[in-house]
Amino acid sequence: MIPSELVMPCQGKAGMLDLLIKSHWYKCSVSLEGQHLGITLDDDIDIITSQGDTDIAIPSDVPSGRREVVVNKSVESGGLGISIKGGVENKMPILISKIFPGMAADLTGRLHVGDAILSVDSQDLREATHDDAVRVLKNTGGQVKLEVKYLKEVTPYFLKATLLSSIGWDGLDSFLIPETGRAPPASPRADSRSIPLHFCMVSRQCVTGEEAARCFEIFSPDQKSSCVFRAESPGDAADWVANLTSAIRETLAEAAVLAGKS
C-alpha cells in the first residue's frame, strides 16, 4: 500500500499542447482536473479538413431549406445506419452526428452529418428529447421518411468530435476506482473530451530526435490507447509529466485504500 503521506496532491494544470492524432499534430487546450485530463481541439476547421484524418465531408451543395429523404432499410442490418446527438434537454435539435458507410442512410446519398432531423414519418421531433428520438427511430418500419434541414454551423464540432474519438480510451469499471471517478465528467462541447487517468502510465520515450525533450505520452491501463503530447518547451513538458504522475499516483493510493476495504 502507498502511504497517503507520500502522495503529493495534484494541484491541477492547464495550458496549450499539441496532440498527435493519425500522424498529424493538432493544437489543443488541455486541463488536468483531479484524476481526469480534459482535451479541447482548438485548430480551425480548415486545418482539420486539410489533414484528411476524418471521414466527414462538409458538403457545399445542400439546399438551405427543409428536405424530405426516404430511407429504405436493408434486410440484413434493419437499421438506418446513423448516430444522433442533441435533444431538447441539451438545447439542441436532433442532429445526425455520424453516418455509417454502406448502410441505409449512406446509400441515399442525400443525408449528411449536421442534418437536423425535424420529423420521422410525419412525427415531429423538434421538441423531442434524445431518448424520445432514439425510440422513434428504432420503431420505424422498412421504409422511413425523414424531414431534415442541414445546419452547416454544427458540422465542425462533429468533425472535431470524430477526430478526438479516434483516440479510443474506454473508462474502467473496477471496484478499485471510486464510483464517482469511473465515468469521466460529461463535456458540454462536442469538440472536447475527458480522459480518466486511473492506473495510467506516463512515458518520455515516445519521440526521438530534436523534439524528444518536448514530448510525453500517456498510456491507458490496458496500453491499447495512448496520447502523445508536445509542449512548447522541455521545461513545460517536464512540468506536465510531474503533474500527471502525481495525479496517477493519487489513483493508485485510492485503489490501495479500496483494496484494503474489500
Side-chain angles (χ1 to χ4, degrees), residues 60-102:
S60 58
D61 56 350
V62 181
S64 58
R66 299 184 179 191
R67 311 183 329 269
E68 187 175 289
V69 180
V70 175
V71 182
N72 294 300
K73 295 181 182 178
S74 66
V75 176
E76 294 79 11
S77 67
L80 291 169
I82 61 173
S83 291
I84 60 171
K85 289 187 179 296
V88 66
E89 74 274 25
N90 300 310
K91 299 181 180 179
M92 293 172 62
I94 302 299
L95 296 161
I96 296 178
S97 59
K98 184 173 183 178
I99 297 175
F100 294 90

Side-chain angles (χ1 to χ4, degrees), residues 35 40 48 57 60 91 122 142 167 176 216 221 237:
Q35 298 169 352
T40 299
I48 293 173
S60 58
K91 299 181 180 179
S122 300
I167 295 172
L176 294 178
F216 60 92

Side-chain angles (χ1 to χ4, degrees), residues 179-198:
E179 289 187 10
T180 55
R182 293 180 188 179
S187 171
R189 298 176 51 166
D191 57 350
S192 302
R193 67 170 300 181
S194 182
I195 290 176
L197 296 175
H198 302 87

Side-chain angles (χ1 to χ4, degrees), residues 135-146:
R135 176 180 50 79
V136 169
L137 289 166
K138 282 186 175 180
N139 290 333
T140 52
Q143 187 176 82
V144 186
K145 183 174 68 175
L146 301 179

